Amino acid sequence: MDYLTILQILDSTVRLATPLLLTCLAGLFSERAGIVDIGLEGKLLAAAFMSGAVAYVTGSIWLGLLAGVAASLAFSMLHGLASITFKGDQLISGVALNFLAAGLTVVIGQSWFALGGRTPSLSGNGRFGEWNLPFSDAWSKIPVFGPTYNELISGHTALTYIAILAVPVSWWVLYRTRFGLRLRAVGENPSAVDTAGVSVVRLRYLALVIAGVLCGLAGTYLASLAAGFVKDMSAGRGYIALAALIFAKWRPWYALSATLLFGLLEAIGNRYQSIAIGDFVIPVQFMQALPYILTVVILAGFIGKAIPPRAGGTPYVKER
């Protein structure tokens, strides 16, 4: 394996990890506020469909981005209505959203475009273009650093750089601001926050708004990357993002590492359809299943004990 091949795999890793990272950060905010968000998959799917549909009709991926964020926010508010306002079971609400998104995207897609639930292919301004960073071409001839800068660091879409920037911003918001302190406190001890005169309901809804925006960005990225929407195109990424969040122990920087690991496994699975070890050939199905196998391993607890926010999954009932 030469250096250029390694760079191509790492470049693919970053591209595949981008929607996972955005979705993982969305789950981070909602779960830090005490809302278990199984519905990440549904928000991702709804955003991908709406962004792909609007981008095709208008010819602008930026209008598609707004539509994708709006669709994801609508699903977030529906989850908040069920689990915060009506104090329903958060797991059931999230699963219901996933089923709703899987069905609605196909039905509406068939009604609008008559392509079996798909949207027509996106092209031109209907997709995000690559951003070439300054001096990427001029420095490409420099040994080692040049190809790394040109192939790996430069040449990604705007949402990839936004996703990476969102990691330190999320860390700063959660650990260096009053809002972040209150948000984390709501996930640990909501009664104490309520006693201090801060609205638990408001904070949890704000967390879901942030989660909705981040899932909207992730869904739009998927639609742009695949040049349109395809039925069930999220392919379990919402669940993988949740597993990455557990792996990261609900911390932003660890979330970046965890999602890059999942992206690397997917990139390897896509690059090497089969690997021969002596006379034994690892089948292509195993390579493609690597991210999902790691998800099961993480959820089975083989990576050590991960302690979630104490109030997670519990509706808050104000004491009289």
Side-chain angles (χ1 to χ4, degrees):
M1 184 185 297
D2 59 10
Y3 183 62
L4 184 58
T5 302
I6 294 174
L7 282 181
Q8 290 171 347
I9 293 174
L10 293 177
D11 177 70
S12 181
T13 296
V14 173
R15 295 174 191 272
L16 293 171
T18 296
L20 290 177
L21 177 58
L22 288 167
T23 309
C24 187
L25 292 175
L28 173 67
F29 276 95
S30 60
E31 297 214 359
R32 277 292 188 178
I35 303 295
V36 175
D37 207 349
I38 298 293
L40 292 173
E41 179 81 3
K43 296 174 193 176
L44 196 60
L45 200 59
F49 169 75
M50 192 56 67
S51 60
V54 171
Y56 171 75
V57 172
T58 63
S60 170
I61 189 59
W62 295 105
L63 291 177
L65 175 63
L66 291 177
V69 169
S72 180
L73 278 173
F75 271 67
S76 261
M77 293 302 98
L78 190 58
H79 185 44
L81 185 67
S83 61
I84 301 174
T85 303
F86 295 128
K87 298 177 175 57
D89 188 292
Q90 296 173 10
L91 292 175
I92 294 175
S93 171
V95 171
L97 287 180
N98 292 341
F99 282 119
L100 181 64
L104 273 181
T105 51
V106 174
V107 171
I108 297 176
Q110 176 63 21
S111 174
W112 287 358
F113 304 110
L115 293 173
R118 296 187 296 109
T119 62
S121 296
L122 302 178
S123 60
N125 292 329
R127 299 180 67 186
F128 286 109
E130 295 181 348
W131 282 14
N132 291 316
L133 299 181
F135 310 112
S136 58
D137 290 332
W139 291 352
S140 61
K141 303 300 183 182
I142 301 175
V144 183
F145 173 77
T148 302
Y149 182 74
N150 188 43
E151 297 288 338
L152 181 58
I153 300 175
S154 178
H156 296 285
T157 65
L159 287 186
T160 297
Y161 297 111
I162 290 173
I164 295 172
L165 183 63
V167 176
V169 170
S170 298
W171 176 85
W172 182 79
V173 168
L174 285 172
Y175 294 99
R176 290 293 183 271
T177 66
R178 180 179 298 178
F179 169 75
L181 175 63
R182 290 174 173 176
L183 192 73
R184 288 184 288 122
V186 164
E188 296 291 340
N189 192 347
S191 60
V193 176
D194 193 21
T195 303
V198 179
S199 173
V200 173
V201 170
R202 177 175 173 272
L203 279 171
R204 287 188 166 179
Y205 266 109
L206 283 175
L208 285 179
V209 167
I210 295 172
V213 171
L214 290 170
C215 278
L217 297 178
T220 304
Y221 179 88
L222 276 181
S224 174
L225 185 67
F229 176 82
V230 181
K231 177 184 175 183
D232 294 331
M233 72 179 302
S234 54
R237 285 182 174 86
Y239 300 113
I240 292 177
L242 273 178
L245 183 60
I246 296 171
F247 190 24
K249 294 179 170 56
W250 293 271
R251 297 178 182 177
W253 288 108
Y254 290 178
L256 174 61
S257 302
T259 51
L260 285 173
L261 174 60
F262 280 101
L264 176 63
L265 289 177
E266 189 174 354
I268 292 173
N270 292 340
R271 177 87 181 187
Y272 300 101
Q273 296 295 303
S274 60
I275 296 178
I277 303 177
D279 294 331
F280 178 73
V281 177
I282 300 176
V284 59
Q285 292 82 1
F286 178 82
M287 299 301 298
Q288 293 173 342
L290 277 176
Y292 305 97
I293 293 172
L294 182 59
T295 301
V296 173
V297 169
I298 289 172
L299 294 179
F302 290 110
I303 47 86
K305 190 175 183 180
I307 303 174
R310 284 185 296 174
T314 306
Y316 177 65
V317 180
K318 186 179 180 71
E319 295 181 1
R320 298 291 180 183

